[in-house]
Amino acid sequence: MSGVAWVGTVDGAGGVADPATVPVTDRGFLHGEGLFETMRVLPADDGVRAPLLAEHVERLADGARRLGLVAPDAGCIARVLRDVCRASGLTDGAVRLTLSAGDGKPVMVLTTRPIPPDSGPVRLAVVTARRDPSDPTAGLKTTSRAFWALAQRE
């Protein structure tokens, strides 16, 4: 299914939507006030498993504390991850969890995608853009990706 996502709140209230939408008043959309984690998922007896789920949950929780957001707990994330993978038919791929400040109430969105086939060597480049280490968002995987987009254009 194309466009399948799980949309809801950090307490797990929500569900699978196709297509998924987020209001334009969402502060993650308007201001980049949000975080994300992209997790590898693999087949498991009960559907899928995310081998590094604990590490992703810990980093998300740390970032949420630093931004003043409420983060979902590990059990909620694991359940929702299984739900969206089941709905999309994904058993081997990636799930992106986006946590947004929402519009007064935090919003959690999970989307799925297959891993593309190996396309050969990876290209690396040194860019002139420099990340300010004193920026309060340094070290966070925020939804504000303008810096990275500009660096990639070089």
Side-chain angles (χ1 to χ4, degrees):
M1 289 193 251
S2 174
V4 174
W6 186 97
V7 180
T9 59
V10 295
D11 61 2
V16 173
D18 183 7
T21 61
V22 175
V24 296
T25 54
D26 183 283
R27 292 192 331 239
F29 175 77
L30 288 173
H31 308 295
E33 192 179 342
L35 303 163
F36 74 95
E37 288 290 329
T38 304
M39 300 167 274
R40 179 78 162 99
V41 293
L42 299 167
D45 292 339
D46 63 346
V48 296
R49 65 184 178 88
L52 299 175
L53 181 61
E55 290 83 352
H56 287 288
V57 170
E58 184 178 332
R59 182 170 46 204
L60 184 72
D62 178 59
R65 272 191 300 278
R66 289 176 57 189
L67 287 182
L69 301 176
V70 175
D73 65 40
C76 174
I77 292 172
R79 180 182 58 76
V80 170
L81 187 141
R82 283 191 302 272
D83 289 350
V84 74
C85 286
R86 186 178 312 111
S88 68
L90 184 77
T91 58
D92 188 354
V95 173
R96 177 180 160 137
L97 183 158
T98 304
L99 175 64
S100 170
D103 189 8
K105 186 174 184 180
V107 173
M108 181 170 65
V109 178
L110 279 80
T111 55
T112 63
R113 67 176 170 80
I115 303 281
D118 183 7
S119 59
V122 175
R123 281 187 20 204
L124 300 178
V126 176
V127 297
T128 59
R130 296 288 177 253
R131 180 83 170 159
D132 180 358
S134 66
D135 181 334
T137 63
L140 299 180
K141 291 179 74 175
T142 69
T143 55
S144 177
R145 307 304 287 171
F147 172 83
W148 306 108
L150 291 172
Q152 192 171 27
R153 290 180 190 159
E154 284 190 18

